[in-house]
Structures are given as C-alpha cells and as structure tokens.
Amino acid sequence: MPLLNKICQTAVLASIVVSSIVWAEVTIYMCGDSTMQDWNEGYYPKQGQGQDFHFWFDKAKVVNRGQGGMSLGGGGKDKNGGIAVGYYDMFFKKGCSNGNCIAEKLQPGDYVVIQFGINDINYSTEDFYKSNMKKMVDDVRAKGANPIIMSPIRRCIFDSPTQIHNSYRGYPALNQQLAKDLNVPFIDMSEMVANYMISVGEKYAQQFVYNFSTKAEYSNLGADQSDQVHLQMNGANAYGRIITEQMRAHSDTVVKKLGEYMAPMYQVDVKVSPEGSAEATSISAYYPQGMTVLLKTIPKNGKKFLGWYDGNGNKVGASSRSEVKSAYIYTFKMGKASTQYTAVYEGGTAEKYTGDGAALTAFPTTTPKNLDDVTFVPYTPPEGSEEISVPVDKDIKRFIDASNPDSGVGNTENNWTGFIGKGFYNMENSNTSFASYKLKFPAAGYVTLAVRYANGGNADRTFNAYLDHDYYLKAPPTGSWDTWDTAYVVLDAPQGEAELKFMSTTSDGAPNIDAFGFSFAGVCRMGDESCEDSSDITKIATRGGVGQPAVRIRGNDLILAGNGPAQVSIFDMQGRIVARKIVGSGTLDLASTVGAAGLYRVVVKQGNVKFNGMYAKVK
Ligand code: GCU
C-alpha cells in the first residue's frame, strides 16, 4: 500500500515539523533550603525533595536549586551576628551575589517552585520574607514564567498520633496568605505532609520518611541518624509524589498543565508473608522509570526474615545502592512495568504478581485541608534553625597539620612558637581570605571538628568552616600569638571526599590556624599515604572479639563484651534522657530499663569504644 505508506510518512514528518516548532521544553526550578537540595552521595540515604524530582517528568526539565541553610528573606542576623543574605539576593535576582542567578536563566513558560520558611524563623523576619517573596514572584512573571508557592514540610515531631507539631511558627500560614495576595498558585506541603505522617504513623515516619537511618543499615554511615528535619530517599520521593499529585489536580490550569509533562508511573505492590510478621514495611506506591525504589521491612520481635522476593517468586539479588548493608532493605531502579515484591518471613511464601504490568492511568489526590482549620501553636524550636543539636565530642582522634592548605589566601608561617607539625597558616587579614583542605571521611554522620588556633589580638575572631554548609566557629583571644587554644563545632560529614574550607568573616581575618582534627577516626587528608587506610572506625567497633562488636543490641539485650565499666545513656526520640547507668560488662535488659514502648537511642561509652544505636521496645 504505497499510498497509505506515503500518507503515514507525511503525517510522521508533519508531526515532527510541527512538534519542533511548538515544542519548547519547559524547565521547573525547585527553590528551597536543605530539605530541597541535592545531598552528595556520601550522605546516603539523606535526600532533598528536589533531588530525584526530575524522574517524575519526561517532557519537562527539572533543575534543583535548593540551597542548605537558606532563608528566603534574609535581613535578620546571621550566625556571625552580621546581616543574613537571603536566597532572593544570593541566588535568584538578576545580578545575585552568588552568580548563576535563576532570574537570568528563566524562559517564558518555565515554572519556579518556591518553598521556604524553615530558616526564615532564624535569619529573617516576616516583613523581609513578604517583600522578597513579592520581588521573586515579580521577577518570575517579568520573564513570562510561572511561580508556585509551597509551604515548608514539617519536622517529624508527633505531638500526638493525630497532631504533627508546627515548628515553623507563622511561616506555613504566611506562605498561603502571600499566595493569595499575590495570586500565585499554592501547594500546601505543610498540611499535606502532616496528613501523610499521621496516616503512616510515627515509627514509619521516622524509619521510612525522615532520616533516622542507622549504620547497621548503611555502610557509609559512621553514626546513627535521628534527623527530624531532613528526609531519606524514600521520604523525599514520597513527598515528590505528593507534589506531583497536587500539580496534576491543581485548580490553576497552568499548574495542572504540568501533569501533561509527567512520565508514565508504575506501581510497586508490597506484601508481607505471613501477614503480621513485620513491625513496619514499605507501603505500596508508584514510581516513574529510573527512580530508585527502597523496600524495607522491620521484623516483629522473634520473627525471622528470609528475604525480599520479586513478583516471579524469586529471591532478589544485591541492592542497586551499594551502601545498603541491612538484609531488611532492598533497592532497585524502577523499570517500565508495574510489579510486586514480598517480604518473606519464616513460614511465608513469595506471592506471584498477577497484574499486567501496565502504567497507571489514575492518580490519587487528597485535597489539602484549609490552613484556617488548623490551630497554629506559636513555637520556637530549641535551636530555631534546621540544624540538629548534637553535643560536641572533644575526643579528637588525630590532628592534621593545617600549615599547608590545598589552596588559600594567606601564608604558611612558623615565626610563633607552640605549633604542632610544620607551622601554621596565617590567613590574610581580610574577610575574603580562606584555607581549603581536601579530605576523605570514612563514614557519614555528625562529627566534631576541632580547630587549634592562636588569636593574639584583643577581640574574638569568628570564622566559618565550610563543608557543604557553613558552620560557625568563634576564636576568643588566646593572650598571645604563641598561645594556642581549640575551637569546636559539630559538622554533618559525608562519606568520601569532601573539601573543608576555613573562611574569614571579618576584616581582621581568621585566627592563625595550626591544626584541625575530628572525633571520628580515619578522617584523612587526600594525598597523605595514610589516607588509603580509613579502617580505624571499624577496628574500634569490632574490638569485642572475632568479628563481634564490643557493644551491640540483640533483641531486648544491650550486650557489653568489652572490658571495664560502661556508661550507658538512653534517650527518647525527643532527645530527653530516659536512663543513665554505669554498668560492668555483661548484658543490660533494655526492655525493663526504658519503660514505655517506643524507639530509643542508646549511647554507650566503654573505654575507647563508643556505641550509638537504636532500640525499639515493642508492646
Ligand atoms: C600579627 C601576627 C600574625 C597574625 C596577624 C593577625 O601580624 O604576627 O601571625 O596572623 O597579626 O592579626 O592575624
């Protein structure tokens, strides 16, 4: 049928021509703070909402411009006591101070998703927030692009099983008010995620949504996490799913149009066999192709987990994420077919998938409740900002000579006494001087950084340590340039290579810096011979016997196999101390020590051995 062929060819050609004329791919810019940003692989499974967001779209581009620590408005006091610069001035407006300004990149038809408030409670005021939001929206519209305002996600704090704490004061409501006043489409994430958390419950919210990951689960973690602010991969993607569902069903047609740019979605059904064996298991959900799916199950006390099985009834192979260490977790990249997995426990069987694998055609939405219905309890969190308060640990494993940074503005000197190593680094007396070091971290987690410094001047010298974020250090006078003291700060370190940069923040520059060190063993300077051997941490943790950690939790028992008295501290998930005991080696019954059922953090110090683990007391 040559004629029909010809017609078909012409039609195909025409559609190519037409589509290349009308088709200009839109870009969706995701603007927000550390709950939005991309987190370096070394932090796995920590993830921002914007990080995998691109997978949901196959006909639009997503650019994640989440920036940790940022307020939208700025104008308040920053950590150094100076004036905080907000996201609008730093990353957004034309000629923004950080360069790569979003306003200069926008094309007509692009979208800008704006989600702030978490850091504004500290570094801004509602007035700055309002005026900078207005400027941002005006700039977006001036380019013919489309703003969308989202309220911030909540912290994982359950005031009760049906009430999620409002940690961000008036900012969720202010976002809604601004959306109304400026006539900008609104997505109420504060409300949506609160509903989601209530629906899944506190344990699931911690174990599958927020980053309460443990080093027993992931090989890159050096310490267990209990992060109420930031998400883990599964949670970031669950919140991405909520955002896209809200977009698909939005009353604003321009936002709703984004639904047309979304990729096919495939269902992953999750079963447990025999039913009731698990304390909690990943809930069934849909994913776009390419997104990493994480399945996890937490056995009930006494239940033996046999493994994850796929829809053909076969036990799965290795996880796609090499960091996964726990047999309870399985990760894989979503393919192009809906499927099913079973967490099989003793006595159970893998259920075979009986569906047709087809992509979904309907998407659930839950209409956000009106914020007017919600009572906001004004609340100032203890530290205010998105940072986590982790105590300083002055047990520094090893100091690294700071005299020769990999790059810096200043000089390597030795004209004052008392330094260790080859000398010290004298940063130029200006607020732009710095010293930068390429380091390798054996594991991710909170770690104390100690900086040995001299400040012979009369006033405090403040400076920043930058490791993916700014951390603030204060160096009070030491009396002379020959006298050295140590300043400490807790950092959130990634596993693997990272740059640590000391930056002056005043015109006097930073103090002279002699050396720095960490409370983790095995942190090393790239290029040092010793940098290849970063196994100290595991050595410490396994000193109890052949392949057996000196301290571990098994069932309800805390097992202390090391020598000498151990200090055991147990905290609840709000960080309140529940019990503190000095015990000898042997076994401590955690069930009777903690009281009520729930999740607890157990911290043990026994000689050199430190242990930080989670214990779940089940009813
Ligand atoms: C003096 C001192 C330097 C120091 C400098 C400063 O010049 O010799 O070591 O760095 O003061 O104020 O920072």
Side-chain angles (χ1 to χ4, degrees), residues 402-415:
S403 62
N404 265 299
D406 293 302
S407 62
V409 175
N411 295 299
T412 303
E413 291 172 1
N414 57 13
N415 55 329

Side-chain angles (χ1 to χ4, degrees), residues 413 415-416 424 426 429 461 481 508 510 512:
E413 291 172 1
N415 55 329
W416 298 106
F424 55 85
N426 172 4
N429 288 22
R461 297 235 175 140
W481 293 105
D508 285 339
N512 290 346

Side-chain angles (χ1 to χ4, degrees), residues 382-545:
E383 284 283 304
S385 77
E386 60 176 45
E387 278 150 47
I388 321 293
S389 54
V390 175
V392 163
D393 176 2
K394 292 192 178 170
D395 182 9
I396 301 303
K397 298 295 179 299
R398 185 169 71 93
F399 274 90
I400 296 172
D401 187 4
S403 62
N404 265 299
D406 293 302
S407 62
V409 175
N411 295 299
T412 303
E413 291 172 1
N414 57 13
N415 55 329
W416 298 106
T417 61
F419 56 80
I420 53 179
K422 294 189 177 139
F424 55 85
Y425 197 67
N426 172 4
M427 279 182 235
E428 206 176 82
N429 288 22
S430 86
N431 64 2
T432 54
S433 59
F434 70 90
S436 147
Y437 306 84
K438 290 197 186 99
L439 304 179
K440 193 156 118 191
F441 292 87
Y446 294 107
V447 62
T448 299
L449 162 72
V451 184
R452 195 165 186 267
Y453 74 92
N455 174 7
N458 300 322
D460 288 359
R461 297 235 175 140
T462 57
F463 62 107
N464 283 350
Y466 184 89
L467 184 82
D468 240 30
H469 276 83
D470 272 330
Y471 298 90
Y472 164 66
L473 282 134
K474 193 160 140 186
T478 51
S480 80
W481 293 105
D482 295 313
T483 312
W484 302 86
D485 203 347
T486 311
Y488 298 92
V489 68
V490 177
L491 309 176
D492 183 6
Q495 186 196 36
E497 293 170 22
E499 184 194 22
L500 174 72
K501 198 169 172 183
F502 297 120
M503 302 188 293
S504 300
T505 55
T506 68
S507 53
D508 285 339
N512 290 346
I513 293 181
D514 176 25
F516 58 87
F518 296 90
S519 57
F520 268 6
V523 181
C524 57
R525 183 110 182 250
M526 296 294 295
D528 284 1
E529 261 175 57
S530 62
C531 209
E532 297 318 308
D533 177 23
S534 47
S535 52
D536 296 18
I537 277 204
T538 27
K539 272 186 218 140
I540 289 176
T542 57
R543 209 173 284 157

